[in-house]
Amino acid sequence: MTRGTILFHDQFRFTDGEIGEKLLIILNTPKDDQPYLICKTTSQCKYFITTEGCHSNKSIYHIKAHKDGFPCDTWVQLHEIFEFSKEELLKAHFVDKTCTVKNCLPDRMIRAILNCIWKSEDISQFHIDLLFPK
């Protein structure tokens, strides 16, 4: 699995401990023992944002319906980046069957999302180093 892969996880564990279904986007293609960095998406309008594109002040990237594999308007939530080890992700996909590949974003779209993350104030230096290697 590489950056831009869209996953459907039917047993995703949220920060508050709840478990549910979620569409996720892989943000990087890890090397060696680096983790996968993943962000959540939602079909629920966030901050009344209806203009497509980067809203770095809100850590949101908005994708319009029927574009790049999303059937409805989608808000990519960049304020919270989740780390998954390769083992965790591969186990969820191949063994547990709780995580399936749905689509892959075009390179221009994942680059636009990454550029939005770069502008966001909600990203750690560790994640910046993984997403934007020198």
Side-chain angles (χ1 to χ4, degrees), residues 49-85:
I49 293 171
T50 57
T51 306
E52 185 173 29
C54 178
H55 302 271
S56 59
N57 60 324
K58 299 289 186 189
S59 294
I60 294 286
Y61 191 94
H62 181 227
I63 301 171
K64 287 290 191 182
H66 309 294
K67 194 165 184 188
D68 297 313
F70 291 98
C72 57
D73 276 15
T74 299
W75 289 262
V76 182
Q77 300 172 299
L78 307 174
H79 68 283
E80 200 172 29
I81 295 178
F82 296 85
E83 295 180 21
F84 284 80
S85 70

Side-chain angles (χ1 to χ4, degrees), residues 123-134:
I123 185 161
S124 72
Q125 187 61 50
F126 176 68
H127 289 162
I128 287 173
D129 293 344
L130 290 176
L131 293 172
F132 306 99
K134 294 177 180 161

Side-chain angles (χ1 to χ4, degrees), residues 1 85-99:
M1 289 183 250
S85 70
K86 290 178 185 175
E87 294 77 19
E88 285 176 301
L89 203 54
L90 292 174
K91 182 179 183 288
H93 181 67
F94 290 111
V95 178
D96 301 338
K97 309 268 191 227
T98 57
C99 188

Side-chain angles (χ1 to χ4, degrees), residues 16-124:
D16 65 3
E18 291 287 321
I19 294 176
E21 297 178 343
K22 191 50 70 180
L23 276 178
L24 309 168
I25 298 174
I26 296 177
L27 299 171
N28 67 328
T29 303
K31 295 180 182 169
D32 303 321
D33 61 347
Q34 294 176 339
Y36 279 98
L37 300 182
I38 295 176
C39 63
K40 300 182 301 186
T41 68
T42 184
S43 59
Q44 302 299 311
C45 183
K46 294 292 181 187
Y47 307 108
F48 304 105
I49 293 171
T50 57
T51 306
E52 185 173 29
C54 178
H55 302 271
S56 59
N57 60 324
K58 299 289 186 189
S59 294
I60 294 286
Y61 191 94
H62 181 227
I63 301 171
K64 287 290 191 182
H66 309 294
K67 194 165 184 188
D68 297 313
F70 291 98
C72 57
D73 276 15
T74 299
W75 289 262
V76 182
Q77 300 172 299
L78 307 174
H79 68 283
E80 200 172 29
I81 295 178
F82 296 85
E83 295 180 21
F84 284 80
S85 70
K86 290 178 185 175
E87 294 77 19
E88 285 176 301
L89 203 54
L90 292 174
K91 182 179 183 288
H93 181 67
F94 290 111
V95 178
D96 301 338
K97 309 268 191 227
T98 57
C99 188
T100 56
V101 174
K102 298 310 273 180
N103 205 344
C104 192
L105 291 174
D107 191 55
R108 65 168 170 69
M109 178 60 73
I110 191 63
R111 281 195 329 257
I113 292 169
L114 290 172
N115 285 335
C116 195
I117 290 171
W118 179 260
K119 296 175 189 173
S120 171
E121 296 178 7
D122 292 326
I123 185 161
S124 72

